[in-house]
Amino acid sequence: MDLSITPYAVLVYVHLLLFVLWLGADVGVFLLGQHFRKRTEYSLDQRVALLKLLVLVDMTPRSAWALMVPLSLSVVDAGNWWDVPPLLLWGAWAVGLFWLWLVWDSHWHDQTPRAVRNRRVEGWLRWVIGAFYLWLGGQSLLLDAPLQPDWLGWKALLFGAIFVAAIMIDVTFKPVGKQLTAVLEEGSSDATEIPLLRTMNKTRVWVWAVYLLLLVTAFLGNVKPLH
C-alpha cells in the first residue's frame, strides 16, 4: 500500500474543515436567530435561551475566521502558488492566534471593560487584514503577481470582501444590545420588538452576503475555473 501524505494535502484538508465549520455553524446561528424572532411561538425566557445558544454557536465561525487567515497563506505557500515571505507567514500565524485569543477572551469576560477593549482591538485588526486581502487580490489580478493564476487572485479579493461583509454584520447588529435590554426590562410589545426586528432584518442582508461570498470562494478554490 502506497500511503503518501504531503503537508500540502493536510493543509488543504484543514482549510476545507474550517470552511465547513464556518459555514455550517453560521447556518446554525442564522436558524437560532430566526427562531428568536418568533415572539408569538416562544416565551421571552425561551427566546433568551435561544439567544444564549446562538452566541455560543457563533464562537465556531468566529474561531474559524481567525484561523483561516494564517492557514490560507500556508496553503498557498505549501502548494507553491506563492513563495510567501517567511516573516509574513509567521506574522500571519502570530496575528491569527492573537485574534483567536481575543475572540475567546472576549467571550469569557463578556459584559466587562476587558471584553470591550478586546473587541475594539479585534475590530481594527479585521479591517487591516481585510484591506490586506483586498490589496493582495487586486494587485494579483492587475499585475499577475504575487498570486497566479487568476482564480487565486479572485479568491483573495473575495476573501477580503468577506471581511467587509462580516464586519458590517457586527456594525449593523450593534443596536441589538440596547434594544434587547428594552425588551427584557419593559417586556415584549410592538414598541420594544419592532425596532429589534428591524435591526435583525438589516443584519440579514450582510449575513447572506457572507454566505454567497463563502460559496463563491470555495467554488474557485475547488474548481479553479480561471487561469
Side-chain angles (χ1 to χ4, degrees), residues 137-212:
Q139 166 94 355
S140 299
L141 291 171
L142 290 173
L143 303 178
D144 292 329
L147 299 179
Q148 187 58 233
D150 283 351
W151 64 265
L152 193 55
W154 275 108
K155 190 174 180 183
L157 185 67
L158 292 178
F159 191 40
I162 287 173
F163 271 79
V164 176
I167 289 168
M168 290 307 300
I169 290 175
D170 286 348
V171 171
T172 310
F173 199 71
K174 192 172 182 179
V176 163
K178 291 182 179 180
Q179 293 167 345
L180 181 60
T181 299
V183 172
L184 296 175
E185 292 180 351
E186 302 172 24
S188 178
S189 66
D190 285 348
T192 58
E193 294 277 5
I194 289 177
L196 178 60
L197 184 61
R198 285 174 180 164
T199 299
M200 295 184 75
N201 286 339
K202 292 177 182 178
T203 306
R204 289 168 68 190
V205 174
W206 295 107
V207 171
W208 284 111
V210 169
Y211 292 167
L212 178 61

Side-chain angles (χ1 to χ4, degrees), residues 77-108:
D77 184 67
N80 296 318
W81 301 105
W82 174 28
D83 187 14
V84 182
L87 185 61
L88 175 60
L89 187 58
W90 288 109
W93 276 104
V95 169
L97 292 174
F98 174 61
W99 182 3
L100 184 65
W101 176 83
L102 286 174
V103 168
W104 281 96
D105 194 62
S106 298
H107 176 71
W108 290 325

